[in-house]
Amino acid sequence: MTSIKIVSDFACPFCYIGFSIAEKLTKEIPDINIEWIPYELDPVLPIEGGDLTDQIPQKQIEMSYRRIERLGSEYNLVYNNKTKKFNTHRLHKAALFARDEGKYYQFAKEAFKTIFEYGINVGEPVIINEIGLEVGINIVEMNKCIDEGFYDGEMEEAKNLWSVYGIESVPTFIVNGNKKVTLLKDYERFKKDLLG
């Protein structure tokens, strides 16, 4: 059994590709265990969100997205939103609830699409509820767990893991607790980096 921890944030366009790689791996290799570690690129971002162009020139964003879209095209990923950024704190907790309900992949895919394809603010609890409803989870139960702090400990634990593994960028794939793979490339080559 190969164990892979993936440190990832829904707000990261490269993590959408990392998610797609993981989804494909789980379909291809039955004896692989993937654990998702939440990461927040911008934990102090207000709920109303922000804009990347406030820190990064538009030209630089466009250059980055040339690579992102090339890598994402293998999985038919759509990036309409390239500048709006959103707070993902509550979204991560909702994803942990979805995981416990056996629906992590459906929830995460919808979350990434909401951000990058539709450009909708996932910091808003009402939007998180819509994602939950879309994938068929009990949003009353989900909100109760989040509001009662059910996932607070796990979110703190995730921060400790960032230090333990020296996370400098996301997505980071950690194979069997020691091998770290970060540089995304096409699926077959990346799979070789991971499992080779």
Side-chain angles (χ1 to χ4, degrees):
M1 167 75 78
T2 303
S3 167
I4 302 176
K5 286 181 168 64
I6 305 175
V7 184
S8 176
D9 188 8
F10 293 110
C12 160
F14 285 107
C15 292
Y16 194 4
I17 297 159
F19 166 79
S20 304
I21 289 169
E23 189 179 33
K24 196 167 175 178
L25 276 174
T26 55
K27 287 173 183 165
E28 241 178 56
I29 306 163
D31 67 337
I32 201 163
N33 177 51
I34 291 180
E35 183 190 345
W36 293 90
I37 311 296
Y39 188 90
E40 292 175 75
L41 284 167
D42 196 346
V44 296
L45 193 66
I47 295 302
E48 60 271 19
D51 204 289
L52 265 182
T53 52
D54 293 341
Q55 290 106 13
I56 304 167
Q58 181 72 39
K59 226 177 184 127
Q60 205 177 317
I61 294 168
E62 283 166 17
M63 271 175 61
S64 294
Y65 266 96
R66 278 204 279 278
R67 179 163 180 259
I68 291 163
E69 289 180 312
R70 184 173 50 77
L71 287 167
S73 65
E74 193 173 353
Y75 313 97
N76 301 314
L77 305 186
V78 176
Y79 291 97
N80 292 323
N81 169 33
K82 296 174 183 169
T83 59
K84 283 190 275 183
K85 53 183 192 162
F86 309 115
N87 183 303
T88 55
H89 186 76
R90 190 179 183 89
L91 184 67
H92 277 299
K93 291 179 179 180
L96 294 173
F97 178 84
R99 175 203 63 194
D100 292 347
E101 297 292 300
K103 294 200 168 175
Y104 181 87
Y105 282 87
Q106 298 95 309
F107 185 93
K109 182 177 267 188
E110 205 54 43
F112 278 118
K113 278 173 82 170
T114 302
I115 294 170
F116 293 108
E117 195 169 332
Y118 313 134
I120 297 171
N121 184 358
V122 292
E124 299 283 357
V126 65
I127 301 303
I128 298 170
N129 288 348
E130 283 174 16
I131 295 168
L133 288 170
E134 181 69 33
V135 302
I137 58 178
N138 182 332
I139 61 166
V140 173
E141 194 57 37
M142 176 189 85
N143 285 307
K144 186 170 181 280
C145 285
I146 293 171
D147 294 337
E148 289 178 1
F150 193 80
Y151 295 106
D152 293 0
E154 198 169 339
M155 293 291 283
E156 277 308 307
E157 212 175 287
K159 286 182 190 173
N160 295 336
L161 284 172
W162 309 342
S163 304
V164 169
Y165 290 111
I167 303 302
E168 290 168 0
S169 65
V170 286
T172 295
F173 289 64
I174 300 144
V175 187
N176 295 329
N178 52 29
K179 179 176 161 186
K180 220 161 61 165
V181 183
T182 56
L183 189 64
L184 293 180
K185 48 190 72 154
D186 67 78
Y187 178 73
E188 288 304 329
R189 283 165 64 216
F190 192 81
K191 187 168 79 167
K192 202 172 171 193
D193 286 355
L194 277 180
L195 309 174

